[in-house]
Amino acid sequence: MASFQPTVIKLSKQEGQSYGFFLRVEMGTEGHLIRCIEKGGLAELAGLKDGDRVLRVNGVFVDDQEHARVVQLVKESGQSVTFHMLDEATYEKAKKSGINLSGADESRPAQPPLMNGVAGSALKPKLCYLVNVKEGFGFSLKSTKGYQGMFFTDVKPSGAAAKAGVRNNDRLIEINGENVEKSTHDQIVAKVKASGKSVTFLVVDEETNTHFRNKNLKLGASLATVKHLPHKPRIAEMTRGPEGYGYYLRAEKKRPGHFIKDIDAGSPAEKAGLKDMDRLVAVNGEAVDSLVHDKVVEKIRECGNKCTLLIVDEETDNIYRMAGASPLLFWEEMKDCFDSAPEKVRPTHQQEAQQSSAVPVQLPSPTPPPPSEEQKDYKPKLCKLRKTTGGFGFHLNAIQGIQGQFVKEVLTGVTFPQCPDMSFKVTAYADDIAVLVVGDGDVEQLEACQRKYERLSSAKINWAKSNAVLVGDWNGCATPYLPAGLRWDRGGFQYFGVFLGDDTTTQKNWEGLVEKFKARLQRWWWLLPQLSYRGRALVVNNLVASSVWHRFIVLEPPEVLIKQLQSILLDFFWDGLHWIRQCVLYLPLAEGGQGLIDIASRTAAFRLKALQRLLYSSEDLPWAQLALGFLRQVQHTEVPGHLLKVENVTEFSLFTVDGKQVYKACVKVRHQQQLQQLPDTHWREQLGVGEEFEPAWRTLYKPPLQKRSGDLQWRILHSIIAINSFLTIIKPGVTDNCPFCSQRETVFHCFFFCARLRPLFMLMKTLIEGLGLPFTEASFIFGFKYQKSRRSIFQLSNFIFGQAKFAILKSRKNKVNGFIAQDPVHIFKHLVVSKIRVDFQFYSAMQDLDSFELLWCVNKVLCEVEGGVLVLFI
């Protein structure tokens, strides 16, 4: 009789973590089955496979036990449980053979249990990856007399360190791959702080430390276990198809390594889980980092029709590089887990379902004859759907005469006078559902549906995190009962991080918001001097202001709060000194602004977009009917299609307008009076040009111009440069005379009318005309607008203008500070030549001198390349 040896697997989890699988019993199928294995979870890492059977839980034979008893044994085991397992094919073979599985593990010596996929008997140091949270990393360090190194103490149970695998009394060996055993406490703290928001530790517990010390072995990352790292390398097994493996292996110029690219749909590579830009670490267990690209390709070809790749995505790769460890450690641990090379590790259920050919097993069960119509065992199907812009592609309905009801079909619902023909019952987003009930009957129906849901899905509703709120006047009325100890609140509740309800409840949304704004901006103050205006706007718009949009979409914030928040953002943008009216900053760059967010206009845009969705959406939204009823009651008329028609604002229809257009219109409407009083630039009057000349705002920051040159040109057009006519106002000791001549120094004099600039203008005229463009006073100040057909010419011309303005300002500063370099022509040539040489070195290193010539060698005005050598003409 055949012998059936179970696999012994021990799973250990942290508090709040799951084992990563479901335990099920299914009609017509024997045993307690492993199902729904979480990708990357403890169960998958340990080698559990969909359909495996549990024979024992913590040594107790459970194959003949009730399912509820088995589940209870697992729950009672706490944070660690040991399973005796059989795979599906072996289990069914044993059952058909009539083998008594209660003694199946007594015929052979017991194997050491696998701890989360790693042999439990192996003593190894731990690699831990910590991510800083608001409370810090959650640990302290101490030294112990008579012992070398630093030891962890006060590890918070739910802190970043504990979640990463660090325990009290663990000894610290390395920080980010650097040995710190002989470092002082202050040196270690400095290294942790310098690491920023994340850090990797190599740590060792007391038992492992003693083991390595007794054997006189040096601890290092090469000996560590990687089971605690949050991201894992992936082992991809592939069988060559008719068209090959279905991917390309590329070497990137900017990144070392060999990368997966251009994966064919339906190919073995896609089925094995390869992703674009995965880095290849090893082929059949052999590292390829040190090999040239052609050798790696040849090694894959030598594998024949089957190969096993070890790959890492960018995030996983960064963690291993930070730790100074090789992803091959993961490969070795997988080998240890299964007593064989990783290419023989059993695939996951999802991978097995995608394989074009089945993986052979040792004891395959005989193929049963096809069942007759009466013998067919109909089972429910578990389907995972991904929502697209068109929804899930189906509708749910109750069918008369068929048992089974849905929540929306059994609730009474709430009816509003403004919409008497509709009953509102349920609203849902993701897994958060709001249900409207009007009595005990609705609550009973809700409970009944909930019980059916639990039986079918094995998932439970978390009543402890649920809320119940009374709406309306319930004085003198009995409130419906609530299940699971839930209580009725009258003020309101929190939904998706937003407090909804009465004034007292909604006020909680604004508490501490000003302090949070300041704290977010404080993280960027140190970088503020290096940030361009475009960079500052990016920080404000995307990293700070965006943190409140989920509240402002739903609720109207207090006007005082909006002003406070806006003032904080403006102070950050200007670094305290405000140069121009704030309404100009809110305009897009193409219209002379910087695109800085205007919180009040964004809030107004939210309201208009909500109206658009409710009134004109193509979706069948029941709430739209209610909103329309309220608006009709207020306006006594139909809602018009055009809601905004303002001078200097393009008229648009709410039927088709997108969010950006709505926001831009709101900015111009709110600041219409101020904007109408401001010219786009004061240079028109000085140069004597009309409306036919417009500043080329968008080209100010276009490469090859640097951001500092873009900021300078933007300030010149707005006449906000700190020259003497301005400084004399705030510093009485400063005269308003030009440092180079006796005339009054204004922005216009400094950058255009000063006689010292004539040689520079003559040089620019020669260069610009050499590019085939006319040089005029207006073109120097306003810049050239790009034309696609002559893009390179306009790029180079605007670069020349930008560097010339920067040279003018630099020569003025040198004059004021008493430095020697005061000739703007000399400084201009130095700036241009330096930029050309830097770019030439870059493109030479990239072996792409064709792109360099396309950018810099137009008409050979500034330079040319001959035989790979740069020749300068300036």
Side-chain angles (χ1 to χ4, degrees):
M1 182 177 295
S3 176
F4 299 87
Q5 179 69 10
T7 300
V8 183
I9 292 178
K10 183 177 181 180
L11 299 178
S12 292
K13 64 177 182 176
Q14 298 177 7
E15 186 175 353
Q17 188 182 18
S18 70
Y19 287 123
F21 70 92
F22 284 100
L23 194 60
R24 298 272 177 84
V25 288
E26 297 177 359
M27 185 178 295
T29 303
E30 292 184 284
H32 306 282
L33 293 90
I34 300 295
R35 292 294 193 203
C36 303
I37 297 175
E38 179 183 332
K39 189 170 181 60
L42 298 178
E44 186 187 49
L45 182 61
L48 267 65
K49 177 184 173 186
D50 194 86
D52 282 353
R53 304 302 204 278
V54 177
L55 298 185
R56 294 178 183 271
V57 177
N58 296 333
V60 179
F61 185 73
V62 297
D63 192 52
D64 57 355
Q65 300 273 353
E66 292 289 331
H67 187 65
R69 172 60 180 159
V70 182
V71 173
Q72 188 64 26
L73 284 172
V74 176
K75 289 182 177 179
E76 290 175 351
S77 66
Q79 305 300 317
S80 181
V81 63
T82 301
F83 293 121
H84 285 60
M85 314 289 301
L86 275 183
D87 64 80
E88 185 173 15
T90 305
Y91 180 87
E92 292 176 356
K93 178 73 173 179
K95 282 291 185 180
K96 290 180 180 178
S97 302
I99 293 176
N100 179 14
L101 292 176
S102 63
D105 53 348
E106 298 175 357
S107 58
R108 296 183 187 176
Q111 66 177 60
L114 301 179
M115 173 76 78
N116 292 353
V118 181
S121 60
L123 293 175
K124 297 181 179 181
K126 300 177 290 186
L127 274 175
C128 304
Y129 177 74
L130 286 70
V131 179
N132 196 355
V133 293
K134 293 182 179 179
E135 297 79 13
F137 287 115
F139 69 88
S140 298
L141 289 172
K142 67 175 182 179
S143 59
T144 302
K145 189 174 182 180
Y147 293 91
Q148 185 187 35
M150 290 291 169
F151 295 82
F152 288 90
T153 184
D154 299 329
V155 177
K156 296 181 180 179
S158 57
K163 292 178 180 178
V166 177
R167 297 294 179 264
N168 281 321
N169 298 319
D170 282 354
R171 187 162 75 91
L172 179 60
I173 306 299
E174 293 181 359
I175 298 177
N176 294 340
E178 180 183 355
N179 189 281
V180 294
E181 291 180 270
K182 296 182 180 179
S183 299
T184 65
H185 183 275
D186 291 342
Q187 289 173 334
I188 291 176
V189 171
K191 292 180 187 295
V192 173
K193 288 183 177 179
S195 185
K197 292 185 178 180
S198 60
V199 64
T200 60
F201 291 152
L202 178 67
V203 302
V204 61
D205 58 33
E206 185 176 359
E207 183 183 3
T208 307
N209 190 34
T210 303
H211 171 76
F212 275 78
R213 187 173 62 247
N214 291 340
K215 291 183 174 292
N216 198 26
L217 295 175
K218 182 175 175 59
L219 290 163
S222 61
L223 303 173
T225 175
V226 296
K227 67 180 181 181
H228 297 284
L229 296 182
H231 299 284
K232 312 293 182 187
R234 307 194 309 279
I235 297 174
E237 296 179 330
M238 292 185 295
T239 301
R240 185 191 295 270
E243 304 296 328
Y245 289 116
Y247 71 94
Y248 285 95
L249 192 66
R250 299 280 175 85
E252 295 289 313
K253 293 181 179 179
K254 298 181 180 180
R255 296 174 57 188
H258 313 280
F259 296 90
I260 306 296
K261 294 281 288 184
D262 303 330
I263 300 169
D264 296 336
S267 66
E270 185 185 58
K271 293 176 181 178
L274 268 64
K275 303 296 182 184
D276 200 57
M277 289 307 295
D278 280 343
R279 186 173 74 85
L280 178 61
V281 178
V283 177
N284 286 351
E286 296 183 29
V288 297
D289 284 344
S290 60
L291 301 180
V292 297
H293 189 68
D294 292 342
K295 291 290 185 181
V296 180
V297 174
E298 185 63 30
K299 184 173 287 290
I300 296 175
R301 287 175 179 164
E302 291 173 355
C303 294
N305 291 329
K306 283 189 177 183
C307 73
T308 303
L309 307 182
L310 180 65
I311 53 177
V312 289
D313 56 38
E314 184 175 6
E315 190 169 9
T316 306
D317 199 18
N318 290 338
I319 291 176
Y320 275 81
R321 288 182 187 276
M322 179 187 290
S326 169
L328 278 167
L329 290 174
F330 178 80
W331 177 281
E332 295 300 324
E333 289 193 357
M334 292 298 97
K335 277 177 56 180
D336 294 341
C337 290
F338 301 99
D339 295 322
S340 60
E343 58 265 31
K344 296 181 181 179
V345 173
R346 294 184 300 181
T348 64
H349 178 65
Q350 291 86 347
Q351 291 170 333
E352 188 177 60
Q354 293 174 340
Q355 296 287 345
S356 58
S357 60
V359 178
V361 296
Q362 292 181 347
L363 295 172
S365 57
T367 305
S372 64
E373 190 67 20
E374 293 77 19
Q375 293 175 327
K376 282 186 179 180
D377 184 13
Y378 293 97
K379 298 180 181 179
K381 293 185 289 185
L382 179 63
C383 305
K384 181 178 180 180
L385 285 71
R386 186 178 297 277
K387 190 173 184 179
T388 65
T389 54
F392 287 112
F394 68 92
H395 294 279
L396 289 176
N397 296 291
I399 303 174
Q400 187 174 0
I402 303 297
Q403 185 179 6
Q405 297 172 314
F406 301 98
V407 175
K408 290 179 66 174
E409 304 299 329
V410 299
L411 294 180
T412 304
V414 178
T415 302
F416 295 90
Q418 292 80 7
C419 197
D421 298 330
M422 299 191 70
S423 179
F424 296 87
K425 303 172 182 179
V426 177
T427 180
Y429 182 84
D431 57 351
D432 282 29
I433 301 173
V435 182
L436 302 177
V437 298
V438 295
D440 289 341
D442 281 346
V443 178
E444 291 174 359
Q445 294 287 2
L446 180 61
E447 274 195 293
C449 291
Q450 173 242 329
R451 286 193 294 269
K452 292 180 181 179
Y453 169 75
E454 288 187 359
R455 287 199 299 270
L456 290 171
S457 66
S458 296
K460 292 185 177 182
I461 293 176
N462 191 344
W463 291 107
K465 292 186 178 180
S466 301
N467 300 94
V469 181
L470 290 172
V471 180
D473 184 10
W474 284 82
N475 294 329
C477 301
T479 58
Y481 85 96
L482 290 173
L486 202 60
R487 294 183 179 181
W488 288 106
D489 295 326
R490 291 185 178 272
F493 62 102
Q494 189 178 18
Y495 190 63
F496 280 104
V498 180
F499 290 95
L500 303 173
D502 58 17
D503 292 342
T504 304
T505 303
T506 56
Q507 185 62 29
K508 296 178 182 178
N509 290 292
W510 322 125
E511 294 175 357
L513 205 56
V514 172
E515 289 71 21
K516 291 179 181 178
F517 245 54
K518 291 180 179 179
R520 280 178 175 263
L521 286 173
Q522 190 64 36
R523 303 171 189 170
W524 296 93
W525 276 105
W526 67 275
L527 192 60
L528 193 58
Q530 284 75 44
L531 283 176
S532 68
Y533 291 153
R534 301 298 298 149
R536 297 178 188 186
L538 179 67
V539 170
V540 167
N541 296 352
N542 295 356
L543 303 179
V544 181
S546 60
S547 65
V548 300
W549 295 153
H550 68 290
R551 294 185 177 98
F552 287 15
I553 287 175
V554 180
L555 299 170
E556 190 69 30
E559 186 175 348
V560 175
L561 176 65
I562 292 180
K563 290 181 178 178
Q564 282 183 292
L565 299 180
Q566 194 69 55
S567 176
I568 294 170
L569 298 183
L570 287 168
D571 283 343
F572 175 83
F573 182 88
W574 283 123
D575 198 6
L577 184 61
H578 296 213
W579 283 91
I580 58 176
R581 292 189 181 184
Q582 61 191 46
C583 60
V584 175
L585 294 178
Y586 305 147
L587 294 174
L589 181 62
E591 298 179 32
Q594 286 290 343
L596 191 71
I597 198 69
D598 178 21
I599 297 177
S601 296
R602 175 54 63 89
T603 305
F606 286 149
R607 303 297 169 263
L608 288 172
K609 287 298 293 180
L611 276 175
Q612 181 192 51
R613 184 170 182 268
L614 288 171
L615 302 180
Y616 306 131
S617 174
S618 59
E619 301 177 18
D620 184 17
L621 298 172
W623 292 101
Q625 298 299 322
L626 179 61
L628 189 58
F630 276 110
L631 287 172
R632 285 172 177 165
Q633 183 178 358
V634 173
Q635 298 182 349
H636 306 290
T637 182
E638 292 286 346
V639 178
H642 297 78
L643 294 184
L644 282 180
K645 186 177 181 181
V646 185
E647 189 177 355
N648 295 330
V649 179
T650 305
E651 180 181 349
F652 60 75
S653 168
L654 270 183
F655 285 103
T656 58
V657 69
D658 62 25
K660 289 185 179 179
Q661 288 178 294
V662 172
Y663 170 69
K664 290 179 182 178
C666 288
V667 169
K668 293 183 179 180
V669 169
R670 290 192 68 257
H671 303 284
Q672 180 188 12
Q673 186 174 358
Q674 289 180 310
L675 290 173
Q676 285 179 337
Q677 298 172 356
L678 295 173
D680 57 350
T681 177
H682 292 282
W683 281 90
R684 294 187 188 281
E685 181 180 351
Q686 298 294 326
L687 299 177
V689 297
E691 297 294 330
E692 68 275 11
F693 290 95
E694 293 183 358
W697 297 104
R698 292 182 63 87
T699 67
L700 299 183
Y701 292 89
K702 293 284 188 181
L705 277 172
Q706 295 176 309
K707 294 293 188 294
R708 62 177 183 173
S709 297
D711 285 346
L712 176 62
Q713 294 194 91
W714 184 81
R715 291 170 68 101
I716 291 173
L717 284 168
H718 283 296
S719 307
I720 51 174
I721 303 292
I723 38 76
N724 284 347
S725 61
F726 171 79
L727 293 175
T728 190
I729 300 174
I730 59 177
K731 295 181 180 180
V734 177
T735 67
D736 62 356
N737 291 336
C738 172
F740 295 92
C741 63
S742 59
Q743 296 188 30
R744 183 172 183 266
E745 187 188 40
T746 63
V747 173
F748 314 111
H749 175 84
C750 178
F751 288 93
F752 191 80
F753 293 109
C754 189
R756 72 187 182 95
L757 304 180
R758 295 304 103 194
L760 178 62
F761 287 161
M762 292 297 296
L763 174 60
M764 281 193 293
K765 184 175 187 298
T766 301
L767 297 176
I768 297 300
E769 290 179 350
L771 293 172
L773 295 175
F775 176 80
T776 64
E777 298 172 344
S779 63
F780 171 64
I781 297 299
F782 293 163
F784 288 112
K785 291 186 176 180
Y786 280 14
Q787 296 177 7
K788 289 185 178 179
S789 59
R790 307 175 70 188
R791 180 171 174 266
S792 298
I793 294 176
F794 288 110
Q795 270 186 321
L796 209 53
S797 300
N798 286 322
F799 169 78
I800 291 172
F801 290 154
Q803 297 301 82
K805 293 167 188 173
F806 199 83
I808 293 171
L809 182 65
K810 184 67 176 176
S811 66
R812 182 194 177 279
K813 287 184 177 179
N814 289 346
K815 176 70 173 179
V816 172
N817 294 322
F819 297 148
I820 298 176
Q822 300 175 9
D823 180 9
V825 173
H826 174 76
I827 297 175
F828 168 73
K829 290 181 178 180
H830 175 74
L831 290 172
V832 173
V833 169
S834 297
K835 178 63 176 173
I836 292 175
R837 283 176 172 166
V838 168
D839 271 21
F840 179 76
Q841 293 294 330
F842 171 77
Y843 284 104
S844 296
M846 298 294 293
Q847 298 181 355
D848 190 14
L849 288 179
D850 289 342
S851 297
F852 175 84
E853 292 185 73
L854 185 65
L855 176 62
W856 291 106
C857 302
V858 179
N859 295 348
K860 299 183 180 179
V861 171
L862 297 178
C863 63
E864 70 172 336
V865 178
E866 290 185 358
V869 178
L870 176 65
V871 180
L872 294 167
F873 300 127
I874 184 172

